[in-house]
Amino acid sequence: MDDAPLSAVDRPNSYIGRSVPRPNAKRLVAGRGSYVDDLRLPRMAHVAFLRSPHAHARIVAIDSAAAKQSPGVIRVVDGREMAAVCTPWVGVLHHLKGLKSAPQHALAVDRACWQGEPVVAIVARTRAEAEDAIALIEVTWEELPAAVEMETALDPATAVIHPELGDNLAFRRDHVGGDPDACFADPDAVVVQATFHTGRHTGVCLEGRAILADWNPAEGRMVVHHSNQAPHMMQTVFAKHLGLREGEVRVICKDVGGSFGIKVHVYPDEVATVALSKMLGRPVKFIADRIEGMVSDIHARDHRIHAKAAVAKDGTLLAIEIDDLTGIGPYSVYPRTSAVEGNQVVNLTGGPYVLKGYRARTSVVFQNKTPTCQYRAVGHPIATAVTEGLVDLCAEAIGMDPAEIRRRNLIADDAYPCKNLANLAFEGLSHQRSLSRLLELMEYDKLR
């Protein structure tokens, strides 16, 4: 394949149709990789977290006396102690107008807002000793009403998770392109509709989230070894919230055993680990296990989309309308925010098709569940599923072959650059040729 002549869609450095060797594969397969959990530093301690067993509960009292006396325990830290050395963050972006979120702490201070939120940190000589001590902590909880279902998050009867924000609506965007009203009102149009549900899920990396922070008080310097995709971003985050200059923080990301976008966000337990190193003046390591990962790694794609499309009887797509509802947990995740995914669904629905009208709304709501944010093709799977599902329904409604309706409505290959009705710019695409090639490869006529 390496000697095959370049096709019209190839470039000299194209990966298409070629086997591209990974330059680090031999080293990793030989077991010569360097991951965070491989590192051992002098005086290194381990941290484990007591996590909330409730979706929403007030922390009335914490009795950690027995835990402090447990073998190997170096320090027990609760949310108030952590808040004295680590400032909270708010996951909003200025270009997402109206997006709101409450301040989030590294450890819950007065209440826990999802099952799995870190509440108490225990630093010990070993992870096992830290976990043993966690079992000795007694927390008095006052359970609070929980907003769980995104469908009822905005109902007056549903508890508002952050009363200071007024309601459980984090973000809403309405967009209209072209003339959808005229398209749906066309007496010759056939209208189809459906509701699409995408359940929340998360990425499962071979290497879970991992961090080792090493504060050197003699030099006033923090070195963080991190299984992360964005070392420069995390350098800024750690410096900002621990009162350091960026030049005093170094973040090292060596080999990362998978990420998929999961490891590009700010996690409270990871920030707490760095803060603990600064508090204790010694290296502190945190390795998230699988159980922790399921309740603390960001989830994604929790959507309910009511959608409809109008199509002419000759197969011309006229308009698409969507109403997207997405639940994001109790906080917008810092710093990329949890509204980006819904915003992308608005941008991308309709995809490569020529339309005369488009109306879209996304409503992003808070829930007492694990926070969600974006990873791996943000919004694309949802927008594609809705768009192609509607196109199939249109084809069925008018009795047209599903490949033919796509052929008639795809943006022409010579029409680029262009914008869709969501004002998203596209250039240099070739959907028509791609469709023809796909049908050829799958022997479409024979399959039909």
Side-chain angles (χ1 to χ4, degrees):
M1 290 295 292
D2 290 338
D3 298 326
L6 296 180
S7 71
V9 297
D10 262 339
R11 296 175 181 150
N13 63 342
S14 176
Y15 297 158
I16 297 173
R18 290 173 174 78
S19 176
V20 181
R22 291 179 56 179
N24 61 347
K26 185 176 181 180
R27 177 174 60 83
L28 296 178
V29 171
R32 297 291 181 173
S34 178
Y35 301 92
V36 173
D37 203 25
D38 294 325
L39 301 176
R40 303 287 186 272
L41 299 180
R43 300 180 63 245
M44 185 178 77
H46 297 258
V47 60
F49 296 94
L50 183 148
R51 298 178 181 274
S52 171
H54 303 290
H56 197 198
R58 182 171 288 109
I59 304 167
V60 178
I62 298 175
D63 182 354
S64 57
K68 291 176 181 177
Q69 301 303 315
S70 186
V73 170
I74 298 167
R75 183 76 179 267
V76 179
V77 177
D78 63 21
R80 294 193 180 279
E81 293 174 278
M82 180 63 65
V85 298
C86 180
T87 59
W89 51 86
V90 180
V92 297
L93 291 173
H94 293 301
H95 72 275
L96 294 175
K97 295 180 180 179
L99 173 60
K100 62 190 182 187
S101 187
Q104 184 178 4
H105 288 269
L107 296 177
V109 176
D110 296 312
R111 63 195 172 106
C113 291
W114 83 87
Q115 186 180 20
E117 183 172 7
V119 176
V120 180
I122 293 188
V123 182
R125 293 174 304 185
T126 68
R127 171 69 180 237
E129 288 175 326
E131 290 183 350
D132 287 346
I134 282 176
L136 301 176
I137 295 178
E138 296 289 339
V139 180
T140 302
W141 300 96
E142 178 190 343
E143 287 196 64
L144 300 171
V148 179
E149 300 299 333
M150 60 184 177
E151 296 279 4
T152 59
L154 301 180
D155 290 356
T158 299
V160 177
I161 298 173
H162 305 292
E164 67 273 20
L165 298 182
D167 55 31
N168 288 328
L169 181 65
F171 175 73
R172 174 169 283 159
R173 178 188 171 192
D174 288 291
H175 177 81
V176 177
D179 193 348
D181 289 332
C183 294
F184 284 107
D186 187 334
D188 293 325
V190 177
V191 177
V192 300
Q193 55 187 338
T195 299
F196 298 83
H197 295 268
T198 58
R200 60 165 55 210
H201 53 276
T202 188
V204 182
C205 310
L206 286 175
E207 177 193 27
R209 292 188 296 108
I211 188 167
L212 169 58
D214 183 13
W215 170 250
N216 185 331
E219 297 179 352
R221 184 174 176 82
M222 178 73 74
V223 177
V224 181
H225 300 270
H226 204 182
S227 180
N228 190 271
Q229 296 171 253
H232 294 92
M233 180 190 84
M234 296 310 303
Q235 177 191 36
T236 300
V237 168
F238 295 143
K240 178 179 180 179
H241 295 286
L242 293 175
L244 301 171
R245 296 193 304 272
E246 286 193 17
E248 295 171 332
V249 180
R250 183 185 181 200
V251 179
I252 301 171
C253 298
K254 291 189 175 180
D255 296 318
V256 175
S259 178
F260 319 116
I262 294 295
K263 299 174 183 174
V264 75
H265 307 289
V266 173
Y267 289 92
D269 46 22
E270 294 178 4
V271 177
T273 302
V274 181
L276 289 165
S277 177
K278 190 170 186 290
M279 294 169 72
L280 298 175
R282 64 191 296 171
V284 178
K285 177 188 282 189
F286 168 61
I287 307 294
D289 64 27
R290 289 300 180 201
I291 295 175
E292 287 179 305
M294 288 298 173
V295 297
S296 62
D297 293 358
I298 61 107
H299 294 183
R301 299 168 185 153
D302 192 5
H303 293 257
R304 186 277 294 141
I305 306 103
H306 293 314
K308 65 179 182 178
V311 60
K313 293 175 183 177
D314 67 357
T316 301
L317 292 176
L318 301 175
I320 286 178
E321 180 178 310
I322 64 167
D323 182 356
D324 169 48
L325 177 66
T326 178
I328 63 167
Y331 300 99
S332 172
V333 175
Y334 186 66
R336 284 173 167 77
T337 85
S338 302
V340 170
E341 187 173 85
N343 195 61
Q344 280 288 79
V345 172
V346 172
N347 285 337
L348 297 167
T349 298
Y353 298 105
V354 177
L355 297 171
K356 297 179 180 179
Y358 179 57
R359 179 183 288 112
R361 161 176 282 193
T362 185
S363 300
V364 180
V365 298
F366 294 117
Q367 308 163 287
N368 291 115
K369 287 185 175 183
T370 302
T372 74
C373 204
Q374 67 264 27
Y375 76 90
R376 188 61 85 180
V378 181
H380 291 69
I382 302 154
T384 300
V386 172
T387 301
E388 300 303 333
L390 288 174
V391 172
D392 279 342
L393 289 174
C394 286
E396 182 180 13
I398 63 172
M400 181 172 284
D401 181 88
E404 179 59 27
I405 196 171
R406 287 171 168 82
R407 182 183 288 111
R408 294 189 184 195
N409 291 282
L410 285 170
I411 299 170
D413 290 353
D414 60 0
Y416 296 96
C418 64
K419 287 186 176 181
N420 69 355
L421 290 183
N423 293 320
L424 204 65
F426 299 96
E427 59 177 293
L429 302 178
S430 54
H431 287 97
Q432 293 281 358
R433 277 196 292 175
S434 295
L435 177 62
S436 297
R437 180 62 175 146
L438 175 63
L439 298 178
E440 177 188 339
L441 288 171
M442 65 191 295
E443 298 183 327
Y444 181 77
D445 293 336
K446 184 183 298 185
L447 289 173
R448 292 294 291 178

